[in-house]
Amino acid sequence: MRRNILLLFFLFFSMPGLILAESGENLWLRYDKVSDNVFDDYSVLETLYVEGNSPVIGVARNELINAIKGMTSVDLDLSKKVSGSSILLGVGLNEKIDVQGLEEGLESCGPEGYVIRRVGKDKETQVVITANTDAGVLYGTFAFIRMMQNEEDISAINVVETPKYELRLLNHWDNLDGTVERGYAGHSIWWNREKDFNDLRDHYQIYARANASVGINGTVLNNVNAAPEVLTDEYLEQVVRIADLLRPYNIKVYLSVNFSSPAVIGGLEDSDPLRDEVREWWKDKVEEIYEEIPDFGGFLVKANSEGQPGPQDYGRTHADGANMLAEALEPYDGIVMWRAFVYAPSGDDRAKQAYTEFVPLDGKFHENVIVQVKNGPIDFQPREPFSPVFGAMDETSLMIEFQITQEYLGFSNHLAYLATMQKETFESDTYAKGPGSTVAKATDGSLFSQKHTAIAGVANIGRDVNWTGHHFAQANWYAYGRLAWDHTLRADDIGKEWLGMTFSNEDAFVEPSLNIMMRSREAVVNYMTPLGLHHLMGWSHHHGPEPWTEIEGARPDWLPKYYHNASEDGIGFDRSESGSNAVVQYEEPLASIYNNPKTCPENLILWFHHLPWDYTMSSGLSLWDELCYHYYDGVEEVRLMQKKWDRMQGLIDDERFEHVRHKLKIQSREAEWWRDACLLYFQTFSGMPIPAELERPVHDLEELKKIKFDMTHHN
Ligand code: BDP
């Protein structure tokens, strides 16, 4: 009986064309069978020679064995000598075999880069994966696996890769009680108490492998709004466990720290950074951490921002605060990442404040301080210009912070591929050293001789089975990592890689799905905040539209009206010379370009200008009509996304197909909600009709105003 059941089971699952349900938990590391086109080429590789036996090399070796087993069914034979058709893995292979180009490659690939070469033919062929460090070998191994997952031609590989940023980090905004600030994929993976650390080990390993596969080499384990308690024994024990687990994947752990920790958990009178006792406290704490975690990465600090304590509480500067921590970390090569996300209720345009506070401090930070700057001057909006801090501090190490979690882009309900947005920022020209001084170059060390280069992405990861809530949000984790490794990669190439590995390499699937991804961010911009509008979201949850919100006692710069300024005479924030003059924080010619509505890019026009409703846009349409068309385009685009996705049925497993279909339905409904809420509300000022050829709004403004968004579904 049992045998019969097994046989039936076997027959069922080996039926050709049957696509098994998938939960998404293995992310892009599924190692599906490759197609017949490449099978013969790939299964030629039968033996594996490994140089070295460190834990990192062990991870690389096991990953390769499992990946090849999954993709080709070949059980790699571990060999003690270099012979036959084999894969060679390890540091120092250049001394074992004579392969042209290996030495030069190693000279140029730096500490974490790698070299991959294919030599020989047929049964006497080798794939050599080598680097200057074990970490480089790990990254090279994952790169080779990726080539196979994407069914690339591997007959003549000749690759030398070097990461563009030295430190490539995820920032988890995870609270110690297990909630995640702006997290939409379940509870924290780190501070979850319902399960024991060991029960989650397999889960953590997927996390670690996924990060290593894209080259992420650091992770901040807790929220920037940091609880001081993270530095107490109880929590540090967990940090030690996590550090031990992540170490073989070349991932260092970092912590967000609360500036008031010496007073709150240390019992000191205050946390004044210039007081000896406080400085000593931090030194002792740091020493204690390094005793347990010798490769601890360092601290991330949000200070004097949104109510968090900081050096200014004692009349000291950001540099005083950062340098105190830097001094404590210096003996261990630890890093301080000091955030420039600051804005006080000073009445000055919020978009100007990071620049105003930080640029005068240029040159005053210790060498192991990196100032961490959000990509835009305000706050992770669907579209912002780049932050003018980039390019403006040539004697300070600056790093860019992107938000991967979709706080302002529809949570985990909306499909929004963020690589296009990140590319837009990377490629923006700061003109800091003349034309071509892109944000990428102003942060990767090629324009300024930064002591450290780094990049951070606010993670979208939680305990949901598929990690990120929306299957397509996995792409944002993946793409962030790929761009952190190499910001010159193209968003579409990355998207294609990810689709192939995560779902299927079939053109019939990849092409339309990639098209959906590539157009998705602009769709969100259009149905939420087109033409440079920003921060129209509900004032605390940041999800649905609330351009009308007024809250007694709330800071004006937390409310949408501060940003859109809609009135009968027009809409937009005047940041030109005649307004807040934020434009002067940009280098010429950009300052002049932004200053003039005729030259300002129209996709940012209401960011920089307050314009009358009948202002003539380059299309010849009035501003009002243009706004209407953008909102309607956004909705149309989501409907198109739905249509395209519906045709994917049968090309991938039903489970993920249905899940995405369901999410797109929500997105489509919410896009209409956004469009109607914004246009009907703005119409009360413009007094102009929605162009007749467009469909009528499906909602009533007064009804929309009554919607109370319930956060409980989203955490
Ligand atoms: C804002 C978020 C807030 C974060 C803050 C930050 O709404 O939850 O604490 O950024 O980056 O976008 O510190």
Side-chain angles (χ1 to χ4, degrees), residues 165 426-428 430 435-448 450 487:
Y165 294 102
F426 279 131
E427 288 169 2
S428 297
T430 68
S437 307
T438 58
V439 169
K441 289 190 184 153
T443 49
D444 73 3
S446 50
L447 213 58
F448 307 115
Q450 302 197 175
H487 54 64

Short mmCIF file of all heavy atoms in Angstrom, two decimals, residues 165 426-428 430 435-448 450 487:
data_model
loop_
_atom_site.label_atom_id
_atom_site.label_comp_id
_atom_site.label_asym_id
_atom_site.label_seq_id
_atom_site.Cartn_x
_atom_site.Cartn_y
_atom_site.Cartn_z
N TYR A 165 31.04 49.85 -3.93
CA TYR A 165 31.04 50.37 -2.56
C TYR A 165 31.68 49.34 -1.63
O TYR A 165 31.45 48.14 -1.78
CB TYR A 165 29.62 50.67 -2.07
CG TYR A 165 28.95 51.80 -2.82
CD1 TYR A 165 28.00 51.53 -3.81
CD2 TYR A 165 29.26 53.12 -2.55
CE1 TYR A 165 27.39 52.57 -4.51
CE2 TYR A 165 28.65 54.16 -3.24
CZ TYR A 165 27.72 53.88 -4.22
OH TYR A 165 27.11 54.91 -4.91
N PHE A 426 21.19 57.63 -8.77
CA PHE A 426 22.62 57.39 -9.05
C PHE A 426 23.10 58.24 -10.23
O PHE A 426 24.20 58.75 -10.24
CB PHE A 426 22.86 55.93 -9.41
CG PHE A 426 22.94 54.99 -8.23
CD1 PHE A 426 22.20 53.81 -8.21
CD2 PHE A 426 23.78 55.26 -7.16
CE1 PHE A 426 22.29 52.93 -7.14
CE2 PHE A 426 23.89 54.38 -6.09
CZ PHE A 426 23.14 53.21 -6.08
N GLU A 427 22.24 58.33 -11.24
CA GLU A 427 22.68 58.99 -12.47
C GLU A 427 22.43 60.49 -12.48
O GLU A 427 22.80 61.18 -13.42
CB GLU A 427 21.99 58.32 -13.67
CG GLU A 427 22.58 56.94 -13.92
CD GLU A 427 21.81 56.09 -14.92
OE1 GLU A 427 20.80 56.59 -15.47
OE2 GLU A 427 22.22 54.93 -15.13
N SER A 428 21.82 61.01 -11.43
CA SER A 428 21.60 62.46 -11.38
C SER A 428 22.94 63.17 -11.29
O SER A 428 23.82 62.77 -10.53
CB SER A 428 20.78 62.84 -10.14
OG SER A 428 19.52 62.26 -10.21
N THR A 430 25.30 65.97 -10.07
CA THR A 430 25.41 67.01 -9.04
C THR A 430 26.19 68.22 -9.56
O THR A 430 26.16 69.28 -8.96
CB THR A 430 26.17 66.49 -7.80
OG1 THR A 430 27.54 66.26 -8.15
CG2 THR A 430 25.55 65.21 -7.26
N PRO A 435 30.26 68.80 -15.22
CA PRO A 435 29.28 67.85 -15.72
C PRO A 435 29.79 66.41 -15.56
O PRO A 435 31.00 66.16 -15.68
CB PRO A 435 29.16 68.20 -17.21
CG PRO A 435 29.74 69.55 -17.36
CD PRO A 435 30.68 69.78 -16.22
N GLY A 436 28.89 65.51 -15.31
CA GLY A 436 29.27 64.10 -15.15
C GLY A 436 29.55 63.72 -13.71
O GLY A 436 29.89 62.58 -13.42
N SER A 437 29.39 64.67 -12.78
CA SER A 437 29.64 64.35 -11.37
C SER A 437 28.38 63.75 -10.75
O SER A 437 27.69 64.37 -9.94
CB SER A 437 29.98 65.62 -10.59
OG SER A 437 31.03 66.32 -11.19
N THR A 438 28.06 62.54 -11.17
CA THR A 438 26.80 61.94 -10.73
C THR A 438 26.80 61.64 -9.24
O THR A 438 27.87 61.57 -8.61
CB THR A 438 26.56 60.62 -11.47
OG1 THR A 438 27.66 59.76 -11.19
CG2 THR A 438 26.42 60.82 -12.97
N VAL A 439 25.61 61.42 -8.71
CA VAL A 439 25.49 61.04 -7.30
C VAL A 439 26.29 59.75 -7.05
O VAL A 439 26.95 59.60 -6.03
CB VAL A 439 24.00 60.85 -6.91
CG1 VAL A 439 23.87 60.21 -5.54
CG2 VAL A 439 23.27 62.18 -6.95
N ALA A 440 26.25 58.84 -8.01
CA ALA A 440 27.02 57.59 -7.85
C ALA A 440 28.49 57.91 -7.67
O ALA A 440 29.14 57.43 -6.74
CB ALA A 440 26.80 56.69 -9.06
N LYS A 441 28.99 58.75 -8.53
CA LYS A 441 30.42 59.07 -8.46
C LYS A 441 30.76 59.90 -7.23
O LYS A 441 31.87 59.83 -6.70
CB LYS A 441 30.86 59.81 -9.71
CG LYS A 441 30.90 58.93 -10.93
CD LYS A 441 31.57 59.66 -12.07
CE LYS A 441 31.53 58.82 -13.32
NZ LYS A 441 31.58 59.67 -14.52
N ALA A 442 29.79 60.69 -6.79
CA ALA A 442 30.05 61.52 -5.61
C ALA A 442 30.02 60.71 -4.32
O ALA A 442 30.33 61.23 -3.25
CB ALA A 442 29.03 62.66 -5.55
N THR A 443 29.64 59.42 -4.43
CA THR A 443 29.60 58.60 -3.21
C THR A 443 30.48 57.35 -3.30
O THR A 443 30.72 56.72 -2.28
CB THR A 443 28.15 58.12 -2.91
OG1 THR A 443 27.59 57.56 -4.11
CG2 THR A 443 27.28 59.26 -2.43
N ASP A 444 30.92 56.99 -4.49
CA ASP A 444 31.67 55.72 -4.58
C ASP A 444 33.18 55.91 -4.54
O ASP A 444 33.94 54.97 -4.79
CB ASP A 444 31.25 54.92 -5.82
CG ASP A 444 31.77 55.52 -7.13
OD1 ASP A 444 32.50 56.54 -7.11
OD2 ASP A 444 31.45 54.97 -8.19
N GLY A 445 33.60 57.13 -4.25
CA GLY A 445 35.04 57.37 -4.09
C GLY A 445 35.72 57.78 -5.37
O GLY A 445 36.91 58.12 -5.37
N SER A 446 35.00 57.78 -6.49
CA SER A 446 35.71 58.13 -7.72
C SER A 446 35.85 59.65 -7.89
O SER A 446 36.75 60.12 -8.57
CB SER A 446 35.07 57.48 -8.95
OG SER A 446 33.70 57.69 -8.99
N LEU A 447 34.98 60.41 -7.24
CA LEU A 447 35.07 61.87 -7.37
C LEU A 447 35.84 62.50 -6.21
O LEU A 447 36.65 63.41 -6.40
CB LEU A 447 33.65 62.43 -7.40
CG LEU A 447 33.39 63.66 -8.23
CD1 LEU A 447 33.77 63.43 -9.67
CD2 LEU A 447 31.89 64.02 -8.14
N PHE A 448 35.58 62.00 -5.03
CA PHE A 448 36.26 62.51 -3.83
C PHE A 448 37.00 61.34 -3.19
O PHE A 448 36.52 60.22 -3.22
CB PHE A 448 35.24 63.06 -2.82
CG PHE A 448 34.31 64.07 -3.40
CD1 PHE A 448 32.95 63.82 -3.49
CD2 PHE A 448 34.79 65.29 -3.88
CE1 PHE A 448 32.08 64.75 -4.04
CE2 PHE A 448 33.92 66.23 -4.42
CZ PHE A 448 32.57 65.96 -4.51
N GLN A 450 37.19 59.58 -0.58
CA GLN A 450 36.55 59.20 0.68
C GLN A 450 37.36 58.11 1.36
O GLN A 450 37.82 57.18 0.71
CB GLN A 450 35.15 58.65 0.42
CG GLN A 450 34.22 59.59 -0.29
CD GLN A 450 32.75 59.17 -0.16
OE1 GLN A 450 31.91 59.90 -0.61
NE2 GLN A 450 32.45 58.04 0.45
N HIS A 487 26.59 50.01 -9.26
CA HIS A 487 25.50 50.94 -9.60
C HIS A 487 25.41 51.22 -11.09
O HIS A 487 24.50 51.89 -11.53
CB HIS A 487 25.65 52.25 -8.81
CG HIS A 487 27.00 52.89 -8.98
ND1 HIS A 487 27.45 53.38 -10.19
CD2 HIS A 487 28.00 53.12 -8.09
CE1 HIS A 487 28.68 53.88 -10.04
NE2 HIS A 487 29.04 53.73 -8.77
#
